[in-house]
DNA sequence: AATTCGTGGTC
DNA sequence: TGACCAAGAAT
């Protein structure tokens, strides 16, 4: 018997939590179905992402790709465009790859064996547990940040939850809570409690349906849990980007590498600025050596800040005119009209540049046509 | 095991 | 206002 559960009346806990869940659960789009494809899509979008952010993406994504087969048959470009702005873009590519595997190897039916489903791209221990329990009623724990917070308080688990090892404790402790109930309900009830009552700071213990079971509350240390190591401050990178136009009035865009940060997304040509005050020179040299394009860099027209988890870009945006371009073709470069560019997925920082360029060109158009 | 991967909202 | 955080996975 697990020592953490010594004083826990699991049956009563289940009754109280599930009763509360039925009365208080939010009406979320992905709770209207147990279709494994839709559950899967929602779970991938919800990784490290707030419910309010996901909802519009969830609707648009399923409008574009209503079934697993239709997603599998879609072009990756389309999938990335549907994910544009949601972040962690490898989620989209992995999901796309994974549903193709499902069509290829499982006849288009989402596999309900843990081993098979877990082997799919982008499906980790949380997503496997969530989809298998919610769509297939399998008694698998779905251990996310909410659930670790709830259980760390409930059972006074003081291990650092940012450490991979700590996860094992939760995997040991949670399965008994999934016995003799609907796993879909229990897992979602635990997450819902974390989401709308058992907040990271100032948990609403007075509204908590399972307060009487909570050991952290008993000790008055609910605010101190869970224990998490602090992460270091992100580094700042000074960047410069250029809105480079050719004689046809088209703009140069670049597709980022297939792996790494913002993989495969499109952007304005840009480079890191290592010496302050050398921005124009650095851009000119970058275009010449990297793309074999001779250009004249004009004025700075915009500043954009892009904050990542582990990195900050401070981007200075310049205008530029191309003088000469060698015939050498770079697969990842494209001269596009602004309308053409909107078919491609951009990271938020470059969406801001695109939006500003559009605004300026439209106001210039307006001036011209009104004369 | 420790890093790398986005973005937007909150206090 | 800046640190913190969110239904994590891959490497």
């Amino acid at each position: 018997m697990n020592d953490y559960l010594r004083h826990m009346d699991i049956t009563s806990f289940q009754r109280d939590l599930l009763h509360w869940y039925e009365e208080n659960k939010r009406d979320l789009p992905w709770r209207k179905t147990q279709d494994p494809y839709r559950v899967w899509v929602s779970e991938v979008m919800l990784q490290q992402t707030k419910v309010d952010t996901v909802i519009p993406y969830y609707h648009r994504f399923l409008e574009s790709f209503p079934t697993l087969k239709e997603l599998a048959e879609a072009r990756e470009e389309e999938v990335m465009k549907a994910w544009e702005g949601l972040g962690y873009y490898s989620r989209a590519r992995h999901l796309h790859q994974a549903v193709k595997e499902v069509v290829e190897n499982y006849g288009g039916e989402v596999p309900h064996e843990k081993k098979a489903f877990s082997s799919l791209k982008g499906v980790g221990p949380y997503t496997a547990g969530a989809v298998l329990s919610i769509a297939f009623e399998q008694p698998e724990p779905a251990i996310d940040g909410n659930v670790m917070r709830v259980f760390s308080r409930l059972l006074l688990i003081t291990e650092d939850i940012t450490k991979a090892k700590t996860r094992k404790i939760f995997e040991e402790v949670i399965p008994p809570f999934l016995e003799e109930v609907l796993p879909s309900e229990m897992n979602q009830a635990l997450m819902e409690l974390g989401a709308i009552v058992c907040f990271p700071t100032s948990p609403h213990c007075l509204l908590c349906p399972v307060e009487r079971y909570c050991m952290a509350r008993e000790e008055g240390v609910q605010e101190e849990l869970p224990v998490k190591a602090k992460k270091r401050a992100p580094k700042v990178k000074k960047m410069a980007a250029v809105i480079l136009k050719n004689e046809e009035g088209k703009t140069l865009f670049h597709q980022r590498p297939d792996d790494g940060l913002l993989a495969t997304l499109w952007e304005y040509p840009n480079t890191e600025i290592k010496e302050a005050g050398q921005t124009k020179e650095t851009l000119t040299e970058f275009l010449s050596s990297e793309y074999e394009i001779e250009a004249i860099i004009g004025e700075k027209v915009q500043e954009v800040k892009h904050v990542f988890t582990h990195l900050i870009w401070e981007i200075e945006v310049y205008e530029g005119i191309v003088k000469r371009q060698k015939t050498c073709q770079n697969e990842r470069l494209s001269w596009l009209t602004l309308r053409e560019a909107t078919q491609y997925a951009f990271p938020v920082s470059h969406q801001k540049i695109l939006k500003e360029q559009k605004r300026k060109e439209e106001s210039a158009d307006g001036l011209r046509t009104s004369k």
Side-chain angles (χ1 to χ4, degrees), chain A residues 135-152:
Chain A
F136 299 120
E137 296 297 358
Q138 295 197 23
E140 295 290 337
I143 305 169
D144 70 339
N146 285 318
V147 170
M148 285 194 279
R149 184 170 61 256
V150 166
F151 275 97
S152 73

Side-chain angles (χ1 to χ4, degrees), chain A residues 2-15:
Chain A
N2 198 304
D3 212 38
Y4 280 115
L5 302 178
R6 211 173 12 182
H7 303 298
M8 181 61 56
D9 179 350
I10 291 180
T11 304
S12 299
F13 176 92
Q14 290 171 318
R15 169 174 41 74

Side-chain angles (χ1 to χ4, degrees), chain A residues 16-173:
Chain A
D16 292 348
L17 181 61
L18 289 174
H19 175 74
W20 168 84
Y21 179 63
E22 289 316 314
E23 298 296 318
N24 296 283
K25 66 180 173 187
R26 291 167 295 176
D27 184 19
L28 302 175
W30 43 88
R31 287 188 176 155
K32 296 181 184 305
T33 174
Q34 287 194 335
D35 170 21
Y37 167 62
R38 296 188 167 230
V39 172
W40 186 4
V41 168
S42 76
E43 290 303 340
V44 173
M45 287 186 170
L46 285 163
Q47 290 167 13
Q48 299 292 285
T49 310
K50 296 268 204 275
V51 164
D52 288 344
T53 303
V54 166
I55 289 175
Y57 281 91
Y58 177 80
H59 287 305
R60 271 182 275 138
F61 195 88
L62 288 173
E63 207 167 301
S64 299
F65 316 110
T67 65
L68 186 148
K69 183 171 288 184
E70 285 167 280
L71 178 58
E73 290 169 353
R75 291 177 307 118
E76 182 171 309
E77 220 169 76
E78 251 185 297
V79 178
M80 296 311 290
K81 184 65 185 179
W83 208 270
E84 182 183 52
L86 195 52
Y88 287 141
Y89 297 95
S90 67
R91 294 183 294 175
R93 276 190 308 280
H94 286 151
L95 177 62
H96 192 208
Q97 267 185 268
V99 299
K100 286 185 187 177
E101 284 184 59
V102 169
V103 168
E104 189 70 23
N105 301 331
Y106 303 98
E109 299 293 325
V110 178
H112 54 273
E113 289 83 35
K114 184 180 179 182
K115 192 173 173 186
F117 186 65
S118 300
S119 75
L120 297 169
K121 297 288 185 297
V123 178
Y126 165 75
T127 305
V131 173
L132 293 175
S133 65
I134 296 172
F136 299 120
E137 296 297 358
Q138 295 197 23
E140 295 290 337
I143 305 169
D144 70 339
N146 285 318
V147 170
M148 285 194 279
R149 184 170 61 256
V150 166
F151 275 97
S152 73
R153 288 170 176 166
L154 183 69
L155 304 178
L156 208 66
I157 296 169
T158 56
E159 266 62 51
D160 180 353
I161 65 165
T162 66
K163 295 199 178 305
K165 229 177 100 182
T166 306
R167 184 184 180 80
K168 290 186 170 51
I169 301 176
F170 295 96
E171 289 172 341
E172 287 280 322
V173 140

Side-chain angles (χ1 to χ4, degrees), chain A residues 231-336:
Chain A
K231 38 193 159 186
R232 63 188 195 297
K235 290 181 179 176
V236 178
K237 261 194 183 184
K238 308 271 188 189
M239 309 287 290
V242 59
I243 301 173
L244 187 65
K245 298 180 84 173
N246 66 11
E247 57 284 349
E248 300 173 20
K250 293 192 172 187
T251 308
L252 186 65
F253 292 98
H254 171 252
Q255 186 178 28
R256 295 179 59 82
D258 288 334
D259 42 38
L261 185 67
L262 302 169
T264 78
L265 297 203
W266 289 75
E267 63 185 3
Y268 287 88
N270 66 88
T271 186
E272 184 175 4
I273 302 301
K274 293 182 176 171
E275 312 172 60
Q278 293 294 105
T279 309
K280 287 191 184 187
E281 292 79 356
T282 308
L283 272 176
T284 305
E285 170 60 20
F286 167 75
L287 290 171
S288 170
S289 63
E290 208 70 19
Y291 301 152
E292 301 189 26
I293 290 173
E294 308 301 322
I296 297 172
I297 304 302
E299 294 308 302
K300 178 162 80 173
V301 292
Q302 198 179 358
E303 290 181 355
V304 179
K305 188 170 184 171
H306 192 151
V307 180
F308 301 89
T309 307
H310 58 296
L311 182 67
I312 297 174
W313 283 348
E314 289 176 358
I315 312 169
E316 296 185 325
V317 185
Y318 284 76
E319 292 178 330
I321 301 288
V322 63
K323 245 190 336 187
R324 194 165 64 83
Q325 179 180 18
K326 291 194 177 173
T327 51
C328 161
Q329 283 299 332
N330 182 325
E331 286 287 326
R332 294 191 168 268
L333 292 180
S334 260
W335 292 97
L336 303 171

